[in-house]
Amino acid sequence: FDADGQHRVKDVVRMIDRLTAEDLDIVIGTRFADHAPEQMPALRRVLFPLIAKLSPASRKLGLTDAHNGLRVFDRAVADGLNLTMNGMAHASEFVALIVENGWRVAEEPVEILYTDYSKSKGQPLVNGVNIIFDGLLRGRMRR
C-alpha cells in the first residue's frame, strides 16, 4: 500500500480475508465502487475513472480504479511479479501483468483518507503524461 497515510487497516484485513476465501490471486482496492469520494480533489474524481476506462488492460479486467495504491496478492503473484517501470507507472504495469499472467483479480471497495498530509504526497496530474509515456515505452520494450 501507499505510505501516505490514506489507507485503513480494516480495509486491508477485509481484502486479505476475501483473497483467502475466494478463488482469487489479487484484490485491488477501489475508491469508485458506488461513487467518487467527495473529499477527492474534483479533477481526480473525473480523471481516475476515465483513465481506467481508457486503459485496455483495466477495461478487460473490469477495473474501476486501476491506480489505487491498496492491493493484496498471494505468494504466486509475489513470486511472479516483475515490475520494471519507475514511479507511478508501476501501477499501470501491474494491471498489464495481471492480464499477461492470467491472474484472477477482483476489486474491493475501500475508503481513502484524504488529509492535508496525504494530499501533499499525491502525484501531480502532469505526471500522468509520464505514466502514459512509460506505458508506451514498456510496450515497445516487450516486443
Side-chain angles (χ1 to χ4, degrees), residues 14-67:
R14 194 175 62 255
M15 291 169 70
I16 292 170
D17 289 345
R18 184 167 179 197
L19 182 72
T20 58
E22 297 181 29
D23 195 23
L24 296 169
D25 301 306
I26 302 165
V27 178
I28 297 177
T30 180
R31 297 166 275 204
F32 305 107
D34 298 321
H35 62 282
E38 293 176 17
Q39 330 75 306
M40 177 183 271
L43 190 54
R44 291 171 189 248
R45 257 194 320 255
V46 173
L47 286 180
F48 285 174
L50 182 61
I51 291 167
K53 287 178 184 169
L54 292 175
S55 160
S58 293
R59 268 197 327 272
K60 183 173 186 170
L61 297 170
L63 299 179
T64 61
D65 194 0
H67 283 232

Side-chain angles (χ1 to χ4, degrees), residues 41-45 47-48 51 122-132:
L43 190 54
R44 291 171 189 248
R45 257 194 320 255
L47 286 180
F48 285 174
I51 291 167
Q123 298 291 316
L125 289 177
V126 73
N127 195 37
V129 173
N130 295 334
I131 292 170
I132 292 168

